Amino acid sequence: MALLIVNLDKQIGNAAAWRDTFAAQLPDLEIRIWPEAGKVGDIEYLAFIRPDFDALPELPNLKAMFSRSAGVEAFVDHPRLPKAPLGKIEPSGGDPMMTEYVVMHVLRFHRDMPGYQLAQANREWRRTRIARPEERRIGFLGLGLMAKAPALVLQSLGFPVSAWVRSPREEKEIPIFHGPGQPDPFLNQTDIAVCLLPLTRETEGIFCARSFAMMPKGAMVINVGRGKHVVEADLIRALDSGQLSYAALDALAPEPLPPESPLWLHPKVTVMPHVSRRPTVAQLVTEIAANIQSVEAGGRLLQEVDVGMGY
């Protein structure tokens, strides 16, 4: 039984770290690092980031594969995508790095830190009314594993939190809006919108002039999903008109953001270079090992991607 690792060793850690960490958790699993695939019939598992499926050989005995990328839109329609089940490598309780990142931006917007930074630059002793958490409604677009943990933290701090999701679901802690008929009432009552949606045909451009107009005047947006969720020109117009107060963008299109982009120097925009979370080799190996153990015991992947849905 062998696992073929593609590009992960180039992006996170190194080949030795991957081999040593797997040896400690699954000592019977042989680790191969692409392009040294060896006898392909032995490969039962595949783990990757930014794969080139045109270059990879056929893997006739593949049981499952794992994507480091939270979004799979870049390769999920590839004609040579193996037919094996595809899983995400994400912790079941969310990633603490993502939680702290989302909470950080919500709190800095809530407490108007950009305004205080501007006042400091102007040597202005700025004292204004401070809004209470119960006055600031936080709305999550998407409530998957990465979103639920920060949503609950913010709720514990006293913020009213709700979420919009694609399909109906039961959530005890968080009020849910769902489906194509409910984005408008969801946005109507959202002061800070946090996007953690997958990128699909339906969600591309979801932050646009129409959705900004649905939000209360002075609302704010935080995009931790994909760059194509945001229509850049519409965002800039909404910020310049005062319909939106601030935007924090961790995902952009394209990446890296070109130097000539107006987002860099816009006074109401925070540009971050896609750094909301950086998992370690140990974290990723733990999740992959748990999935392999589940499959070997006759179970399913812990977080299987619906290839047809695209997430």
Side-chain angles (χ1 to χ4, degrees):
M1 182 171 66
L3 165 71
L4 178 62
I5 290 176
V6 178
N7 293 337
L8 286 168
D9 60 305
K10 299 178 179 64
Q11 300 288 326
I12 306 165
N14 53 46
W18 283 92
R19 285 196 171 97
D20 291 346
T21 310
F22 266 114
Q25 296 199 36
L26 290 178
D28 295 332
L29 179 67
E30 181 185 354
I31 303 301
R32 299 179 184 175
I33 309 291
W34 177 256
E36 303 299 326
K39 185 179 177 182
V40 297
D42 298 335
I43 298 172
E44 297 183 6
Y45 297 98
L46 174 67
F48 55 75
I49 186 171
R50 300 187 183 94
D52 179 2
F53 288 114
D54 288 322
L56 291 177
E58 295 287 337
L59 302 172
N61 297 317
L62 194 67
K63 294 179 179 178
M65 51 187 173
F66 308 101
S67 171
R68 157 61 187 92
S69 301
V72 298
E73 70 280 350
F75 62 82
V76 74
D77 293 324
H78 195 287
R80 294 200 62 208
L81 178 73
K83 302 302 182 185
L86 171 62
K88 295 182 181 180
I89 317 175
E90 295 180 353
S92 58
D95 189 319
M97 289 187 73
M98 178 65 79
T99 298
E100 68 184 28
Y101 184 90
V102 171
V103 172
M104 171 188 71
H105 279 298
V106 169
L107 292 180
R108 61 185 288 269
F109 282 172
H110 167 63
R111 294 300 297 264
D112 195 18
M113 292 307 297
Y116 287 109
Q117 288 173 315
L118 179 61
Q120 179 179 340
N122 294 329
R123 298 181 175 87
E124 175 190 351
W125 191 256
R126 180 175 182 259
R127 292 177 64 85
T128 61
R129 180 183 179 275
I130 298 174
R132 301 294 304 168
E134 58 268 20
E135 300 176 75
R136 192 85 71 185
R137 299 160 296 181
I138 314 300
F140 281 78
L141 289 89
L143 197 66
L145 295 177
M146 292 297 114
K148 187 167 182 180
L152 292 175
V153 169
L154 290 165
Q155 191 177 69
S156 74
L157 294 174
F159 292 94
V161 176
S162 62
W164 176 82
V165 297
R166 182 181 184 275
S167 304
R169 59 195 272 189
E170 291 293 328
E171 283 288 346
K172 294 180 180 178
E173 304 98 336
I174 298 170
I176 294 292
F177 296 78
H178 64 84
Q182 295 192 353
D184 289 1
F186 165 76
L187 290 169
N188 288 162
Q189 53 92 68
T190 295
D191 299 310
I192 301 180
V194 182
C195 180
L196 277 156
L197 289 167
L199 183 64
T200 65
R201 287 185 295 273
E202 292 77 19
T203 65
E204 183 171 344
I206 196 166
F207 275 150
C208 61
R210 185 181 183 281
S211 57
F212 298 145
M214 292 292 103
M215 300 177 72
K217 188 173 181 62
M220 296 155 263
V221 299
I222 300 168
N223 185 31
V224 205
R226 285 290 180 264
K228 290 185 178 180
H229 283 137
V230 178
V231 179
E232 181 180 307
D234 290 356
L235 174 66
I236 291 174
R237 279 192 290 269
L239 291 166
D240 290 345
S241 71
Q243 176 59 25
L244 295 182
S245 294
Y246 299 120
L249 309 174
D250 184 61
L252 298 121
E255 292 183 358
L257 190 65
E260 63 273 14
S261 170
L263 294 173
W264 281 114
L265 298 178
H266 197 288
K268 297 180 180 180
V269 175
T270 300
V271 171
M272 300 290 284
H274 212 134
V275 292
S276 57
R277 58 188 290 249
R278 291 277 180 86
T280 64
V281 172
Q283 286 177 310
L284 295 173
V285 167
T286 296
E287 296 306 320
I288 294 172
N291 276 276
I292 290 176
Q293 289 167 335
S294 175
V295 172
E296 291 297 312
R300 298 175 55 86
L301 293 178
L302 304 181
Q303 296 177 46
E304 187 168 345
V305 174
D306 185 325
V307 174
M309 297 288 290
Y311 60 92

